[in-house]
């Protein structure tokens, strides 16, 4: 790939056969920057990611951009690499697209850096690259640079992927976790906990049999519709690691606001509840990868909900709570029987390598 897709510049291993079968396994030489690396990029990566910026093959991607930019990065280490509803490649693209989109930005360009373990199946790498390309195409973003390093067997678990993204924030957009106001409605675009439940059920050590799929999806088109419907969105955030409970706590702290959630209105599928009971985890702490929490004035919520329900990723959108006052940062859950309990931030790591 382009020089913008940089390669490990270390010495190539002597005696490497550069006519290695590309259907085979990743060798240390594939990260050497030499012939094997070039062949891997030419045959597996460039054909899927090709675009005019990347194809220039320079040291960095160069593009024009006028306006306020949003810029974010994230690393993906999910295990297993393939799970119902997605894989680490799709997750790596959608995760970064969503972090840009929830700031109100139009995602433009991504870079992708892969650390691959020696012996990794090249066919699986190809599958993941294809998956990344599909997710990028769907989101309307271009992958304009990247990197591929190979580490010795045992030094990483298959593949880790980092994506960095840049997006353009239209004039007038001021979305931040600091902006929650008393009286805001808290809206979610659908079912809670599906990504965490799907990944946990795909782990062999749990031997759980379910039909849950991860909600992994790029949210930028849904969010574009929301921003067209209302210019009074105060906060948007994707409740990924740590789930809805942790994300609401972050917003409560940033905005110094008290948020009350209604247990009755939480869209938690039965299958997610089942897995959570088995694992002893509250679904509100389960990771989501295709969900967004939106805070807007109550009187804007009708048009926001209507725009959301028009999008395939927002059919099950609903109000799940409200900002009740602006002091003493706290998230309260009002239960079905009318009592309230404090929902704290996730402590420790309940679900390692969920994303
Ligand atoms: Mg986020």
């Amino acid at each position: 790939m382009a020089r913008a897709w940089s390669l490990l510049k270390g010495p190539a291993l002597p005696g490497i056969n550069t006519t290695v079968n590309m259907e085979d396994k990743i060798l240390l030489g594939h990260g050497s920057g030499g012939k094997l690396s070039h062949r891997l990029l030419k045959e597996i990566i460039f054909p899927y990611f090709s675009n005019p910026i990347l194809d220039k093959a320079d040291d960095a991607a160069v593009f024009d951009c006028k306006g306020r930019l949003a810029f974010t990065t994230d690393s993906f280490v999910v295990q297993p690499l393939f799970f119902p509803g997605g894989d680490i490649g799709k997750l790596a693209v959608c995760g970064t697209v969503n972090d840009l989109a929830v700031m109100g930005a139009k995602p433009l360009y991504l870079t992708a850096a892969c650390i691959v373990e020696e012996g990794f199946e090249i066919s699986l790498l190809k599958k993941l690259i294809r998956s990344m390309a599909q997710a990028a195409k769907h989101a309307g973003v271009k992958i304009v640079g990247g990197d591929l390093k190979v580490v010795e067997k045992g030094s990483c678990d298959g593949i880790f992927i980092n994506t960095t993204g840049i997006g353009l924030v239209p004039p007038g957009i001021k979305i931040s976790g600091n902006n929650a106001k008393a009286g805001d409605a808290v809206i979610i675009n659908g079912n809670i906990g599906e990504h965490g439940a799907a990944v946990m059920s795909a782990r062999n050590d749990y031997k759980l049999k379910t039909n849950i799929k991860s909600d992994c999806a790029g949210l930028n088109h849904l969010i574009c519709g929301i921003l067209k419907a209302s210019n009074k969105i105060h906060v948007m955030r994707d409740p990924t690691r740590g789930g809805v409970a942790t994300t609401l706590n972050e917003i409560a702290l940033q905005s110094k606001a008290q948020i009350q959630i209604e247990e009755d209105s939480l869209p938690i599928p039965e299958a997610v509840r089942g897995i959570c009971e088995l694992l002893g985890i509250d679904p509100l702490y389960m990771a989501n990868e295709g969900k967004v929490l939106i805070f807007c004035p109550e009187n804007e919520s009708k048009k926001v909900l209507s725009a959301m329900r028009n999008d395939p990723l927002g059919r099950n959108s609903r109000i799940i709570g409200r900002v009740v006052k602006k002091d003493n940062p706290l998230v309260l859950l009002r239960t079905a029987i009318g009592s309230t309990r404090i929902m704290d931030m996730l402590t420790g790591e309940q679900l390692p390598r969920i994303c």
Side-chain angles (χ1 to χ4, degrees):
M1 181 162 297
R3 294 282 300 282
W5 189 285
S6 63
L7 294 154
L8 184 68
K9 300 290 198 294
L13 292 181
I16 287 281
N17 174 12
T18 57
T19 58
V20 67
N21 181 0
M22 293 305 278
E23 300 306 313
D24 212 341
K25 292 180 192 292
I26 289 288
L27 306 172
L28 284 170
H30 283 115
S32 70
K35 283 186 182 172
L36 272 184
S37 303
H38 281 91
R39 186 160 172 227
L40 187 75
L41 297 181
K42 194 174 153 219
E43 294 187 12
I44 292 190
I45 295 176
F46 267 114
Y48 290 107
F49 290 172
S50 176
N51 62 68
I53 299 174
L54 181 73
D55 296 349
K56 281 196 170 140
D58 286 322
D59 280 336
V62 176
F63 48 84
D64 288 320
C65 212
K66 277 190 191 120
R68 280 189 306 156
L69 297 174
F71 189 30
T72 189
T73 192
D74 210 343
S75 297
F76 297 83
V77 297
V78 67
Q79 191 60 356
L81 300 173
F82 295 85
F83 47 84
D87 56 58
I88 191 171
K90 180 180 181 187
L91 193 60
V93 170
C94 293
T96 291
V97 161
N98 291 348
D99 278 341
L100 294 171
V102 295
M103 295 309 295
K106 175 184 163 39
L108 298 175
Y109 303 117
L110 258 52
T111 61
C114 306
I115 296 172
V116 189
E117 185 184 14
E118 178 189 16
F120 192 68
E121 298 275 342
I122 291 182
S123 61
L124 293 184
L125 179 65
K126 195 170 176 178
K127 228 171 146 179
L128 292 174
I129 296 295
R130 194 188 306 137
S131 182
M132 291 177 83
Q134 277 169 355
K137 189 177 176 199
H138 186 262
V141 296
K142 291 183 169 58
I143 296 173
V144 293
D147 179 52
L148 190 140
K149 299 271 164 56
V150 181
V151 294
E152 298 91 335
K153 193 151 188 60
S155 296
C156 90
D157 194 359
I159 184 168
F160 298 151
I161 304 176
N162 171 277
T163 49
T164 295
I166 199 160
L168 193 60
V169 186
I173 298 275
K174 283 186 198 134
I175 291 166
S176 162
N178 294 288
N179 287 349
K181 307 270 190 291
D184 277 358
V186 179
I187 302 173
I188 194 162
N189 61 314
N191 291 350
I192 291 169
E194 290 171 330
H195 176 73
V199 171
M200 295 313 281
S201 65
R203 284 195 189 155
N204 288 333
D205 36 348
Y206 289 104
K207 297 197 169 38
L208 301 170
K209 281 206 165 57
T210 69
N211 54 3
I212 301 176
K213 280 188 178 171
S214 165
D215 57 345
C216 179
L219 294 168
N220 56 317
H221 301 305
L222 169 82
I223 288 172
C224 186
I226 294 169
L227 295 174
K228 267 187 197 148
S230 171
N231 59 3
K232 294 192 176 70
I233 304 298
H234 293 150
V235 183
M236 283 198 279
R237 187 161 292 175
D238 50 343
T240 53
R241 264 187 311 178
V244 168
T246 300
T247 300
L248 289 176
N249 269 282
E250 288 168 4
I251 297 166
L253 278 173
Q254 273 183 269
S255 292
K256 295 182 183 60
Q258 208 173 103
I259 301 167
Q260 185 168 298
I261 297 304
E262 307 295 327
E263 190 175 42
D264 268 353
S265 48
L266 295 172
I268 304 170
E270 272 313 306
V272 171
R273 282 191 197 280
I275 285 192
C276 286
E277 255 170 49
L278 278 170
L279 299 173
I281 298 170
D282 185 329
L284 288 167
Y285 294 93
M286 280 292 226
N288 309 274
E289 290 292 343
K291 292 295 160 320
V292 56
L293 290 164
I294 294 146
F295 288 55
C296 68
E298 180 88 51
N299 57 10
E300 288 284 298
S301 59
K302 209 173 162 186
K303 55 185 179 183
V304 169
L305 279 168
S306 149
M308 291 172 78
R309 288 174 182 150
N310 271 333
D311 188 286
L313 297 177
R315 298 271 188 260
N316 203 16
S317 296
R318 61 183 71 185
I319 296 176
I320 58 166
R322 276 166 188 83
V323 179
V324 286
K325 52 182 172 174
K326 277 284 286 182
D327 62 5
N328 189 21
L330 208 56
V331 180
L332 295 166
L333 180 79
R334 198 165 69 160
T335 66
I337 54 163
S339 61
T340 53
R341 67 176 170 91
I342 295 173
M343 277 196 329
D344 210 349
M345 202 174 266
L346 182 65
T347 45
E349 179 62 289
Q350 278 183 327
L351 302 171
R353 299 186 58 189
I354 206 76
C355 57

